[in-house]
Amino acid sequence: MKNFYYFIAITLLFSVEANSQDIKKTLIKAFTSQDSSYYYFKIAKKSIKTIEDEAQYYFCKNARCCDYNQLDSSIVYGQRALKLLQNSNDINSLLTVYNNLAKVYRKQGQYDKAIDYSLQGIRLAEKEKKENWIAFFNAMLSLTYHDFESYQKGVFYGKKALKFWVNQKEKNPDMISNALNAIAINFDDWNKPDSALFYHKKVFKYYKGKDTLYTGETYNNIGNTLLKQKKFKEAKKWISSALKINDKNFEINNGVKDNDYYYERATNYTNLATIAYELDDFNEAEKLFEKAYLYAKKSDNAEKLRDFYYHRAKFNKKRNNLSKAVQDQESYIKIRDSVFDVERAETFSELEAKYQNEKKEKQLLQSKSEIREREIEIENKNTQFLILGLISLALLCIIYLVYRQQKLKIKQQEQEFKLKSAIAKIETQNKLQEQRLTISRDLHDNIGSQLTFIISSVDNIKYAFDIQNAKLDHKLSGISDFAKSTIIELRDTIWAMNKSQITFEDLQTRIHNFVDKAKEAKSEIQFNFAVGAELKDLQFSSIEGMNIYRTIQEAINNSIKYAVAKNIDIFVEKIKDKIQIVIKDDGKGFDLANTEKGNGLLNMQKRIEEIKGEFIMQSTESGTNITISL
Amino acid sequence: MTFLLITVFAVQLGFILFLRNKITVERNQFQSKLKPLEAFVHQLNEEHKKQSLQLQLSEDLKTKMKEVNIALCKNVFELNYQLLEDLYPKKES
């Protein structure tokens, strides 16, 4: 254990910054030197340049004095080091000073202060999350509570320290042994020797071969327990072995008489003296007590002196040396009372309560922060779920849009294909129709020329031969007129065919021409032809135009031929949303019911119905009236 | 994680907007491509209609011409008959 503290102190010294190399070297020499320590410390003090150097100087002085049992000096240097280190970042040095101060105060029997420093150390170690230091301080608390005879707490803290060291991957036998000893001595003085022996003997599990030289304390403690069980011979054996181990260690350490040297021997000799007087070997006991007294006194350890006086009082009592027994008893009570006064016990409780309160507050804060963290985590998860939901929704949207896009593309392709097919079909049909129309035109030209030939032939016959036969002449004239009228009809049709749209104005011109010709033939008939101005630009298809023209032509022809009319009126006007064509004559009329309709009338009706119009014919004795509604 | 998810969502939104825009653009492009085709079809239909009307008129004329042909034949026959009637007494004398 002592070696471990040396290791920590030297490691800490090595870890200081480069600018303090000189003071560091000097302090290492001062700390490790047997005889020239004071000299090196003096040199180191002169080399102090910074606050850090000063802190290191007092830290080393504190450690050195602690190890060499200069308790008061250790406290003074420790307090100075503490002040300087509390403002620095050197946590390990600060924790070491806390540990040293706790150790020194424990030796002095000022357990309240020892516990106070141990608890301060634990707080700092917990804050800095230095688990090994927490375990150190727990072991220190266990030992302090043992010295204060508060064994239950001693066992509690010892077990905490043991748990930490045992759970480490790399087991440290010194640390485990320290914790086990702390638990065992608490059980021992708690009058639970079996538990004490159980924990003591566990130590041997971690030490093999020459390492058993580190178990001197355990040998002594086992002997002490056996002593309490009145197994004196066995106890003597263990304690003698402990003494031999301690002597060997003293030899190995080049005869360094440090604090442990006196403490261990004080313990060994007190125990051996007790065994001697229990075995009624009073002379031996006296000698051993004398040795024990010397060592206990030099150890400067209150607990050791207290134990010594307690056992020597009992020895003197047994020897009937009552005056000495009373004297030792008084010394014992004096030390005990100085250590175990009520106020100190209260301070203990207060310190512990303060520590526990702080710990609970810390735990409360920690749990609050954990709850907050969890809440934040839950909130984050909720947000993430929400975003995930949105992502899923967006993904669905994307799938739908891609599907729609594809569908649209297919639809467009189909539409385009249909349209192109329709175009191709119509084009083919148009070509066919074009061919048919070309043939028709050729035919019409042919018919036209043939009819002209007939007319010319008939006229030539009429003029070339002097035809006396009136009937024959009439026949020839009939054929010529018929051919002429056919040519007119042919021209009308070709005119209509060449016009895609026929306006009322075109119709009006054509009807006027027809009426003019009719006037020439029947000059006694008065023709009236009127078209509403708003209808002049109205357009019809060639079929519609042709059918209207033919119907009007037929109606006029009928009036001229059969009605014996004086006036023939043709009116075209717009009534509401309909076009009304009226052909009216003031002729003799005819009986519609009793007259069979000829081809002319039927054709008129058919032509109008073909163009979705209405054909109404009324005839009275005062004339005939034909109304066409379109 | 949350930032990653937000980034993914933002990228998806961007992609959705891109797809929507693409669909609209494609639709407009198709419409503009379709319009001349439709106009052409319309023109062809008009042409077809016009030709149909012309053919119908031609058909009507054909019917009329048949009637004319019959009438002319009848007239020529009657003329011939009359001529023969007139010539016959000459041959007898």
Side-chain angles (χ1 to χ4, degrees), chain A residues 286-351:
Chain A
E286 189 150 9
K287 281 178 194 169
L288 289 167
F289 269 126
E290 272 173 28
K291 280 186 179 178
Y293 177 71
L294 283 172
Y295 288 119
K297 199 79 183 158
K298 285 195 174 179
S299 77
D300 212 6
N301 189 303
E303 186 231 347
K304 276 300 118 196
L305 272 169
R306 182 191 68 191
D307 283 355
F308 168 78
Y309 283 124
Y310 174 74
H311 287 293
R312 201 167 76 170
K314 281 177 92 179
F315 160 66
N316 283 324
K317 196 180 168 187
K318 199 174 179 184
R319 273 178 84 185
N320 281 325
N321 197 344
L322 294 175
S323 63
K324 278 189 176 178
V326 169
Q327 206 179 337
D328 285 338
Q329 187 70 19
E330 277 175 356
S331 297
Y332 164 70
I333 290 165
K334 199 179 165 187
I335 293 170
R336 193 196 66 185
D337 288 351
S338 71
V339 172
F340 299 98
D341 64 4
V342 180
E343 272 181 34
R344 189 166 285 178
E346 279 173 4
T347 315
F348 262 44
S349 305
E350 277 171 19
L351 281 170

Side-chain angles (χ1 to χ4, degrees), chain A residues 612-629:
Chain A
K612 316 273 182 216
E614 197 182 358
F615 180 83
I616 301 164
M617 189 166 71
Q618 290 166 326
S619 191
T620 56
E621 285 175 358
S622 57
T624 306
N625 193 348
I626 294 171
T627 310
I628 300 164
S629 295

Side-chain angles (χ1 to χ4, degrees), chain A residues 174-223:
Chain A
D174 283 348
M175 294 301 123
I176 295 170
S177 155
N178 186 41
L180 284 168
N181 273 326
I183 299 166
I185 61 171
N186 274 292
F187 274 126
D188 181 50
D189 289 328
W190 199 2
N191 286 326
K192 293 183 177 181
D194 293 334
S195 300
L197 283 173
F198 171 77
Y199 282 101
H200 275 316
K201 286 180 179 174
K202 265 191 168 187
V203 173
F204 297 115
K205 200 174 136 188
Y206 298 97
Y207 289 106
K208 305 282 175 204
K210 66 172 183 178
D211 288 344
T212 47
L213 284 172
Y214 298 120
T215 58
E217 195 183 355
T218 308
Y219 273 86
N220 175 69
N221 290 340
I222 292 169

Side-chain angles (χ1 to χ4, degrees), chain A residues 518-519 522-527 559-561 564-568 586:
Chain A
K519 268 183 179 174
K522 294 273 181 180
S523 57
E524 69 274 17
I525 301 172
Q526 189 64 42
F527 286 96
S559 292
I560 293 169
K561 276 184 188 174
V564 199
K566 285 178 184 168
N567 290 300
I568 299 173
D586 55 353

Side-chain angles (χ1 to χ4, degrees), chain B residues 20-54:
Chain B
R20 260 197 73 82
N21 186 47
K22 201 180 167 194
I23 289 171
T24 315
V25 167
E26 275 181 7
R27 194 178 281 167
N28 290 341
Q29 274 178 350
F30 182 73
Q31 286 301 324
S32 56
K33 190 180 168 186
L34 213 64
K35 265 181 188 170
L37 278 175
E38 279 176 347
F40 186 54
V41 170
H42 182 71
Q43 199 185 333
L44 280 175
N45 268 331
E46 288 295 311
E47 188 73 18
H48 184 75
K49 217 169 156 184
K50 190 183 156 191
Q51 284 179 342
S52 296
L53 291 172
Q54 284 175 336

Side-chain angles (χ1 to χ4, degrees), chain A residues 383-394:
Chain A
T383 317
Q384 284 171 5
F385 276 122
L386 188 73
I387 299 168
L388 267 173
L390 288 171
I391 285 173
S392 311
L393 208 67

Side-chain angles (χ1 to χ4, degrees), chain A residues 430 434 469 475 489 497, chain B residues 48 51 54 64 78 86:
Chain A
N430 282 1
E434 190 66 45
N469 189 331
K475 281 284 173 197
E489 207 166 321
M497 273 173 76
Chain B
H48 184 75
Q51 284 179 342
Q54 284 175 336
K64 188 77 187 170
E78 282 172 1
D86 285 351

